[in-house]
């Protein structure tokens, strides 16, 4: 048993991780996921297909909005630049889990040319919703496409 209560984190990211693994492992039980222990890391998870060692980095955002009401999603300016710097040769999945549905896209360095806006005092890139997939089924298809190559 873990005696350090600080090592036990139950939050929206943990809930997302459990949901994603449950849905993935219905199709294939070769997937594992690691959550970054560094709270300042620019990605939250590493998802690994243990069969072929293909992997996918995931940045997850929980939003208390209805995504269908907006044309864009935001991601922090520094966060996206760090993703480009440290993970530019890797597949990185950006996920916005909203109250109505889940939205996602694979990082593309052209996002760094997108418009920016000041949101809650911080600079953020705008990601057009038209480049995003929607729904858990499409998310699973996207993940499987990248991990079953």
């Amino acid at each position: 048993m873990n005696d350090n209560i600080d090592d036990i984190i139950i939050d929206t990211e943990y809930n997302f991780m459990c949901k994603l693994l449950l849905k993935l492992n219905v199709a294939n039980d070769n997937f594992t996921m690691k959550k970054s222990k560094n709270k300042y890391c620019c990605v939250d998870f590493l998802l690994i297909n243990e069969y072929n060692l293909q992997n996918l980095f995931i940045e997850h955002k929980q939003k208390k909005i209805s995504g269908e009401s907006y044309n864009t999603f935001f991601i922090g300016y520094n966060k996206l630049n760090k993703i480009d710097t440290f993970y530019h040769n890797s597949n990185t999945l950006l996920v916005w889990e909203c109250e109505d549905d889940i939205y996602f896209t694979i990082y593309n360095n052209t996002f760094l040319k997108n418009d920016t806006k000041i949101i809650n005092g911080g600079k953020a890139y705008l990601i057009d919703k038209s480049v995003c997939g929607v729904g858990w089924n499409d998310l699973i298809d996207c993940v499987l496409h990248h991990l079953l190559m």
Side-chain angles (χ1 to χ4, degrees):
M1 183 161 160
N2 189 341
D3 293 324
N4 187 351
I5 194 71
D6 293 331
D7 290 340
I8 300 172
I9 301 171
I10 298 177
D11 58 16
T12 58
E13 290 175 349
Y14 180 77
N15 289 337
F16 167 77
M17 182 177 84
C18 291
K19 271 194 245 182
L20 183 60
L21 281 174
L22 283 171
K23 291 175 183 294
L24 281 172
N25 286 326
V26 164
N28 184 327
D29 66 355
N30 292 320
F31 298 105
T32 59
M33 225 166 152
K34 291 285 197 182
K35 180 164 175 12
S36 172
K37 293 181 180 180
N38 178 351
K39 71 178 184 175
Y40 301 109
C41 188
C42 57
V43 293
D44 296 310
F45 302 103
L46 172 62
L47 178 60
I48 304 165
N49 180 338
E50 291 180 336
Y51 181 73
N52 62 13
L53 298 182
Q54 291 289 325
N55 65 69
L56 186 63
F57 293 97
I58 301 174
E59 171 56 18
H60 172 261
K61 295 288 177 200
Q62 180 80 33
K63 297 295 176 187
K64 293 186 183 234
I65 63 167
S66 174
E68 71 177 355
S69 301
Y70 297 91
N71 294 324
T72 57
F73 294 108
F74 303 114
I75 186 161
Y77 183 86
N78 291 332
K79 181 178 290 284
L80 199 62
N81 283 304
K82 287 179 183 177
I83 287 171
D84 185 69
T85 299
F86 297 113
Y87 302 101
H88 66 275
N89 290 326
S90 305
N91 287 321
T92 303
L93 183 65
L94 308 176
V95 176
W96 294 270
E97 191 172 5
C98 300
E99 290 183 344
D100 64 321
D101 219 330
I102 193 159
Y103 301 83
F104 60 92
T105 189
I106 295 290
Y107 169 75
N108 182 317
N109 65 357
T110 62
F111 293 166
L112 299 177
K113 296 176 184 171
N114 287 7
D115 289 339
T116 60
K117 186 175 182 178
I118 302 299
I119 306 293
N120 296 325
K123 191 173 183 181
Y125 285 104
L126 282 68
I127 306 297
D128 194 281
K129 192 166 66 174
S130 68
V131 301
C132 295
V134 182
W136 278 100
N137 289 338
D138 288 348
L139 175 63
I140 297 304
D141 289 345
C142 176
V143 168
L144 290 174
H145 171 77
H146 285 89
L147 295 182
L148 296 179
M149 292 186 205

